[in-house]
Amino acid sequence: MPALRVFSGIQPTADSFHLGNYLGALRQWVALQETHDAFYCVVDLHAITVPQDPALLRRRSRIAVAQLFAAGLDPERCTVFVQSHIPEHAELAWVLSCLTGFGEASRMVQFKDKAQKSGADQASVGLFTYPILQAADILLYQTDQVPVGEDQRQHLELTRDLAQRFNRRFGDTFVVPGPYIVADVAKISDLQDPSVKMSKSASAPQGIVDVLEEPASIRRKISRAVTDLDTDIRADEQAKPGVTNLLRIYAALSGASVADLEARYAGAGYGAFKKDLAEVVVSALAPIREQAEKMLADEAELDRLLAAGAARAREVASRTMAQVRDRVGFLASR
Ligand code: TRP
């Protein structure tokens, strides 16, 4: 049986991925390349749904790709590419947008959240149709499974609805994708406000650990992470969200269970615990930072890897899109 295909995407909108991205997504991506036919896309078309500086976007796309490879994606084992290199994404998004009800699109809660933040008048039509572009990403590659977090569930549901609608109206064309559910993915919170998840949009810099961050800065942020009034090192989501978050990070990066760590640090005090945790985080991220920096220093090689990824992606995308054009009734162009 051929391996199931997975597809996932990440936006190139930061100077570094953060620990939440790493533990919540990238690590799963690396594991999935061993068991699946994996396609991973740096979604620069999605990035421009909010204003981007062109030079910065180019830079961040390279940074994103370098981190993906540095974190362990292997160009021999999976396909890594940049969305804008494959024009079929935008083309399929158009076709799918013509199958999407205005009311249906209006129900997407992520748009409502983001539009509320920027002010409804500032939000672009591209931001509104973002989930349709995401559906195009997934469907172009005949994806079986999409590893996505809770916040992307609704977009995956829309993707499934659009695939089924197209297939019903025009004949079987798309694989209808399902979620890839990761058993115990570590949910990482902001170091300063453990009630919110670590995220570029919601967190202050002090609340985030970046993958490409210097060790001294990582150590400082962890030593200043919020804890609680008592001194116990134990997980308790309600009473001790700060310490619980730190225990989760420690467990996720070290392989020890939270229970192991509670036993190991019983009576130790926050200082010693945080000191050890900082070293665990630094030694997990340092090799990724060093490798990413090495790759960023050789743009020609990075571009060569991206060209190879795009060639593989194009092969699948062009086949799907040729079928779509034919099914919807576009004249063949000769
Ligand atoms: N919307 C996703 C996010 O913000 C990124 C994304 C774009 C994506 N296209 C995708 C994720 C396709 C999975 C599949 O995380």
Side-chain angles (χ1 to χ4, degrees), residues 62-277:
R62 283 213 170 86
I63 291 176
V65 170
Q67 287 175 99
L68 294 181
F69 289 129
L73 292 184
D74 176 351
E76 303 291 322
R77 288 203 177 81
C78 67
T79 301
V80 175
F81 69 104
V82 172
Q83 191 183 28
S84 62
H85 289 175
I86 310 296
E88 282 86 349
H89 288 254
E91 190 182 0
L92 181 57
W94 175 256
V95 173
L96 295 177
S97 74
C98 297
L99 295 180
T100 309
F102 191 83
E104 188 178 27
S106 305
R107 285 192 290 274
M108 297 292 120
V109 299
Q110 192 168 62
F111 171 76
K112 291 189 213 172
D113 284 356
K114 289 187 184 176
Q116 202 161 38
K117 270 182 208 147
S118 63
D121 301 340
Q122 297 297 312
S124 68
V125 173
L127 190 64
F128 182 66
T129 57
Y130 178 117
I132 304 173
L133 179 60
Q134 184 169 350
D137 297 343
I138 295 164
L139 299 182
L140 261 185
Y141 297 92
Q142 307 293 355
T143 302
D144 298 295
Q145 294 178 323
V146 183
V148 287
E150 225 15 79
D151 61 327
Q152 297 295 309
R153 272 299 170 91
Q154 198 187 22
H155 294 175
L156 185 57
E157 270 313 308
L158 175 71
T159 304
R160 290 169 54 81
D161 289 344
L162 290 172
Q164 285 161 344
R165 194 172 304 160
F166 189 101
N167 289 348
R168 237 182 291 117
R169 200 167 301 175
F170 300 108
D172 243 348
T173 306
F174 294 119
V175 169
V176 180
Y180 178 85
I181 299 177
V182 198
D184 53 356
V185 63
K187 289 213 179 61
I188 300 305
S189 302
D190 184 302
L191 298 180
Q192 291 300 318
D193 178 3
S195 71
V196 301
K197 83 173 193 182
M198 189 180 285
S199 99
K200 177 174 143 57
S201 53
S203 304
Q206 295 76 14
I208 296 184
V209 171
D210 277 329
V211 169
L212 300 181
E213 193 159 339
E214 293 294 335
S217 173
I218 294 177
R219 291 189 181 103
R220 199 160 46 239
K221 284 182 185 174
I222 292 192
S223 76
R224 291 176 189 168
V226 303
T227 44
D228 318 284
L229 288 181
D230 67 27
T231 56
D232 297 348
I233 295 165
R234 79 188 148 78
D236 181 338
E237 187 80 65
Q238 298 308 316
K240 299 171 68 70
V243 173
T244 304
N245 184 41
L246 297 180
L247 279 165
R248 283 210 186 107
I249 294 172
Y250 200 140
L253 290 175
S254 68
S257 70
V258 167
D260 288 345
L261 295 170
E262 287 173 335
R264 190 186 312 168
Y265 287 99
Y270 291 147
F273 171 65
K274 283 174 154 184
K275 220 172 164 122
D276 287 358
L277 172 59

